[in-house]
Amino acid sequence: NDLKAWGSDGQIRIWNRKRVSCDMVISPPNGEALNCIAFLRDGKYVVTGGRDNDLKVWSLETGGCVQALPGHEDWVSDIVVTKNNRRLVSCSRDKTVRVWDLVNGKLQNTLEGHQHWVKGIAL
């Protein structure tokens, strides 16, 4: 029954709705601006995308970054995690859609062809 929210300050807050309290704050270093977040269905991790061009996987148990996925050449604008938590799809102002393997952290595919930045994706 947690509520998860993120703001322009770069912080992700995990709220306990029953106690009406903030149980955790995840703060990326240097106040990185976040453009998008996606929570894995296992409830253990959150993935962020922002203006540093990278995707980052954060532990919801420790609040620490457990994996960085560099590859985009401009701001990450949206991210979606597949239902089985094995793949992540991201899009960016670099005009690409990228498919990542969350198990090994490797880029699987880069889809090109958009004439302008890609704002959103849906599975």
Side-chain angles (χ1 to χ4, degrees):
N1 286 334
D2 290 338
L3 174 90
K4 296 136 180 126
W6 56 281
S8 61
D9 60 359
Q11 292 185 336
I12 301 169
R13 292 182 179 269
I14 312 298
W15 298 90
N16 184 303
R17 294 188 306 186
K18 288 183 181 176
R19 292 193 313 264
V20 191
S21 63
C22 182
D23 288 348
M24 177 179 280
V25 177
I26 297 173
S27 298
N30 306 321
E32 295 171 9
L34 300 178
N35 293 339
C36 49
I37 63 174
F39 290 87
L40 275 69
R41 287 170 176 78
D42 63 7
K44 296 180 182 178
Y45 301 98
V46 60
V47 182
T48 61
R51 296 179 185 177
D52 66 351
N53 307 347
D54 292 340
L55 299 160
K56 292 185 179 72
V57 181
W58 302 86
S59 167
L60 291 176
E61 294 175 1
T62 67
C65 180
V66 296
Q67 189 174 49
L69 305 172
H72 280 292
E73 297 174 12
D74 207 334
W75 295 2
V76 178
S77 50
D78 198 13
I79 47 182
V80 175
V81 177
T82 58
K83 288 182 182 180
N84 66 5
N85 286 335
R86 293 184 56 82
R87 305 256 185 306
L88 172 74
V89 183
S90 61
C91 63
S92 168
R93 289 175 60 137
D94 67 6
K95 305 176 190 171
T96 66
V97 174
R98 297 177 191 251
V99 181
W100 307 84
D101 185 319
L102 281 175
V103 175
N104 64 23
K106 297 196 186 273
L107 178 64
Q108 290 189 315
N109 293 303
T110 300
L111 309 174
E112 299 175 297
H114 285 273
Q115 299 302 310
H116 299 281
W117 66 291
V118 186
K119 294 182 179 184
I121 46 180
L123 294 178

